[in-house]
Structure formats: structure tokens, C-alpha cells
Amino acid sequence: MNKFTAILSQINESQDILVIGHVMPDGDDISSVTSLTLGLRQLGKNCFGSIDYTIPEYYKVFAGVSELRSYEDLCDLTPQLIIVVDSSSPDRVGRFQSMLPHHKTVVIDHHATNTLFGDTNWVDASYAATAQMVYTLNKALGVVYDSELATTNFVGIATDSGFFRFSNTDERVFKDAAELVRFGAQPYFVAATILENKRPEQMRLYCTMVSHMILEDSLVYSWLSYEDYLQNDCVEDDSTGFVGEMRSLKDIEVAILVTEFPKNEIHVSLRSKNWLDVSKIASILGGGGHARAAGCSFKGAELKNVLNEVVGLTKDFLQGGIK
Ligand code: AMP
Ligand code: MN
Ligand code: MN
């Protein structure tokens, strides 16, 4: 039996199901958790969805997002099945990690760096988005798509493909997105909600990042300290997409943004353009991700130290031509 068939039968055999995603959730994570939760509920399952982290406010217009439950609400549940989506390692699910060893766990993910921590792992890095895997699963389970579910499921495909322009944008991305549009997904609503909904404070924070920016050959990097966020009246979500803007510079191979929010909690975002597999750099530093987009996080660290370490490591890769 292949992984996909095994997951179908495990879902069919389970009534109480918990679906969880990763900390610092992105559009694909939120879309995957909500689309699967709504799909399983439609099939009559007693299913809850949760992400152990703050969800950016603007995602709450999409179906299922407001119904996501907190860890506190769900930690005493004893589901027959836990499905973890878009998460490459068990520490990515926040406090839910402690529940995993005690429950049958299915992992559905598209990160090549996945540690295969479930009892059943459907991990396929050829998918641009986990939301496409959820869509495939929902279809096979017989879930019926209306406009709201289609729009929610479309969100993950749009965001993880950079709105159909990243190197992972292939025929299947367009095919899945087109099918969802046929079911009523609203691409303009998704794009406007996610891309054209900025507060002026975010643009000011962006200016701060640009003012810190350093260009060295094919590398560009910058940072935002906790004080920078406070001074601009911003929170960590407000810098989403900034590192992608640095990658858009001419002749750049790697862009790095190191952020601190709150104090001494550091996140590193790495992006590459053509050849360098930045997930290798993130993995060395305890994180993970994809070849062209990866990250890692540190607690109790100094921003400058993390910046120096990741920049030094990246230069070794760039100068050594290490793919
Ligand atoms: P980001 O730069 O935060 O947008 O993340 C880019 C990619 O790296 C995403 O696919 C994330 O899932 C992955 N990633 C980010 N942070 C981590 C981390 N701390 N551990 C593992 N993977 C991460
Ligand atoms: Mn994600
Ligand atoms: Mn993803």
C-alpha cells in the first residue's frame, strides 16, 4: 500500500482527528490546516484544526481561519489521528510536539528537509505547496468544493508559489489553481487580501531594512532589531515578504534577512535565485526549508552574532560554488 492510500484508509477509519500546522505560519500552512479541517468536517469527522502561534489578522477573512482553536483548547483531547501539515520537523508544531509520541501521526509535507517524524509520512518535495497535497487528498476523499473552500485552498498554492512566479511554479500548480478557480476560488480577492493590504508602518519598517542593507558581490543581507519593530509600531509578521524584495535585486544569488522579535528571539530568512541550495545552510543552523527559501530560528541569541554566523557560512557556500 502506498503512503497516499494508507493515509486515506487511516482517515476513513478515524472519527476524531486533529489537524495541526507550524509555528510562524505562512499562507500555505494556514491554507493546508483549514482546507483539510473543513474537508474532514464535511465528511462528518469530528475534526479540529490548530496552529500554536498567532495567525496574521488579514488571513481571518478566509474560510476556517477564525474557527482554528488554541493549543489550550485542544491539548487534553485524545484524537484517533493527528495530521501534521507543512512542517518539516516535530519542533515546528510548537507545544503540540509533546502530544505526537502518544498518538497515531500522519505527516503531509513538501519540504525535502522533512525528518519523517510521523507514523506515516507523505512527503513529496515536487509539490510547490502542501495545499496542493491537501487538495489532492480532499478530492480523493470525496470532499465537495464550494467557492469558500476553494478560495481557502487556493491561498496556499498562491503564496508558496509567490503568486505563480517562483521557480516551483509548474504545470501542476496552474492545473490545481485552475481547478479551484473553476470551483469558485477568487484569485483577485486572495491577492488583494495578502499583497495589497499593508499598513503604512510596514512600509516604514521596510525603509529601515533597506537602510541597513549590505551588498557584497552576489550576496545581499540586512537585519531588523526588536527596537526597529517597536520604533515602527510593527510586529514580526509585518516583515513578511521583505527578504523576497532583496532577492529581486539584479545579479543577486542569495538574500538574507535576520530579524529579532521579541528581544533575543532571532529568525533567519534565506532566499536564493538560481543555484545555491539555501536549505543546506539553514539545516546546518538547525532549521530547514526548500532549495530557494529556507530559515532557522534561535532563542536567547544576539542578533549581530547570528548575522555574522549566517553571512560567514553563506559566503563559504558562495565562494566554494557549493550547490
Ligand atoms: P521564511 O524565511 O520564514 O519565510 O521560511 C522559508 C522556508 O523555510 C519555509 O519553507 C519554512 O517552512 C522554512 N523554515 C523557516 N524557519 C524554519 C525553522 N526554524 N525550521 C525549519 N524550517 C524553517
Ligand atoms: Mn509553511
Ligand atoms: Mn509550504
Side-chain angles (χ1 to χ4, degrees):
M1 195 162 35
N2 70 25
K3 301 287 166 61
F4 187 73
T5 322
I7 292 172
L8 285 179
S9 52
Q10 285 176 35
I11 290 174
N12 284 327
E13 286 159 14
S14 307
Q15 180 58 23
D16 301 315
I17 302 175
L18 175 62
V19 179
I20 54 177
H22 65 75
V23 294
M24 298 183 80
D26 50 20
D28 186 32
D29 189 53
I30 297 166
S31 166
S32 298
V33 173
T34 50
S35 303
L36 187 54
T37 304
L38 292 171
L40 296 180
R41 283 220 190 116
Q42 189 193 102
L43 299 174
K45 304 292 180 188
N46 182 27
C47 179
F48 295 108
S50 185
I51 294 169
D52 187 22
Y53 213 84
T54 315
I55 312 264
E57 205 56 37
Y58 55 90
Y59 278 107
K60 296 193 175 156
V61 297
F62 300 117
V65 178
S66 297
E67 291 106 80
L68 289 174
R69 306 280 287 267
S70 68
Y71 170 77
E72 286 79 4
D73 267 1
L74 303 177
C75 60
D76 293 328
L77 287 186
T78 50
Q80 289 155 292
L81 192 63
I82 297 182
I83 307 180
V84 185
V85 294
D86 200 42
S87 307
S88 52
S89 53
D91 56 298
R92 295 284 286 157
V93 302
R95 290 171 292 172
F96 284 111
Q97 184 176 1
S98 62
M99 282 175 79
L100 301 182
H102 313 292
H103 294 87
K104 192 152 69 158
T105 303
V106 162
V107 170
I108 301 175
D109 186 32
H110 69 136
H111 292 95
T113 55
N114 194 291
T115 61
L116 310 178
F117 57 98
D119 299 302
T120 310
N121 303 285
W122 178 30
V123 176
D124 188 341
S126 74
Y127 282 92
T130 302
Q132 291 177 276
M133 304 172 79
V134 167
Y135 176 52
T136 306
L137 185 62
N138 272 349
K139 277 197 296 188
L141 287 164
V143 171
V144 176
Y145 272 74
D146 62 8
S147 168
E148 291 213 322
L149 178 56
T151 299
T152 293
N153 207 150
F154 184 93
V155 166
I157 303 176
T159 52
D160 257 22
S161 68
F163 288 81
F164 310 100
R165 64 193 174 89
F166 291 163
S167 58
N168 59 8
T169 306
D170 59 10
E171 185 182 356
R172 188 167 52 188
V173 165
F174 284 114
K175 184 174 160 290
D176 290 345
E179 281 180 24
L180 289 167
V181 171
R182 181 153 28 93
F183 292 136
Q186 302 285 321
Y188 177 66
F189 176 65
V190 172
T193 301
I194 294 170
L195 301 176
E196 301 188 347
N197 211 355
K198 292 191 179 79
R199 300 183 303 123
E201 288 81 357
Q202 285 177 270
M203 287 224 179
R204 296 201 179 92
L205 185 69
Y206 182 72
C207 292
T208 306
M209 181 198 73
V210 174
S211 72
H212 292 166
M213 199 169 78
I214 293 173
L215 275 139
E216 290 180 22
D217 302 319
S218 60
L219 172 66
V220 58
Y221 59 93
S222 188
W223 73 91
L224 287 167
S225 69
Y226 184 50
E227 290 74 23
D228 293 327
Y229 283 93
L230 293 185
Q231 272 162 22
N232 289 288
D233 195 18
C234 283
V235 293
E236 63 183 339
D237 298 331
D238 290 324
S239 47
T240 300
F242 286 11
V243 67
E245 288 302 310
M246 287 200 289
R247 177 176 58 182
S248 73
L249 285 163
K250 187 175 180 292
D251 299 331
I252 284 300
E253 176 57 25
V254 179
I256 306 171
L257 179 62
V258 181
T259 55
E260 179 187 44
F261 194 98
K263 192 75 194 159
N264 298 127
E265 289 196 18
I266 314 291
H267 184 71
V268 178
S269 284
L270 294 139
R271 299 290 183 271
S272 63
K273 209 179 247 176
N274 291 314
W275 59 268
L276 201 150
D277 180 352
V278 286
S279 76
K280 288 185 184 160
I281 299 172
S283 296
I284 292 172
L285 298 171
H290 308 285
R292 300 285 165 263
C296 53
S297 313
F298 303 85
K299 283 192 173 162
E302 289 293 328
L303 189 148
K304 289 279 173 224
N305 294 344
V306 173
L307 186 72
N308 287 339
E309 189 175 2
V310 67
V311 166
L313 199 54
T314 306
K315 283 182 182 168
D316 292 343
F317 272 72
L318 280 170
Q319 282 154 16
I322 307 165
K323 289 184 184 169

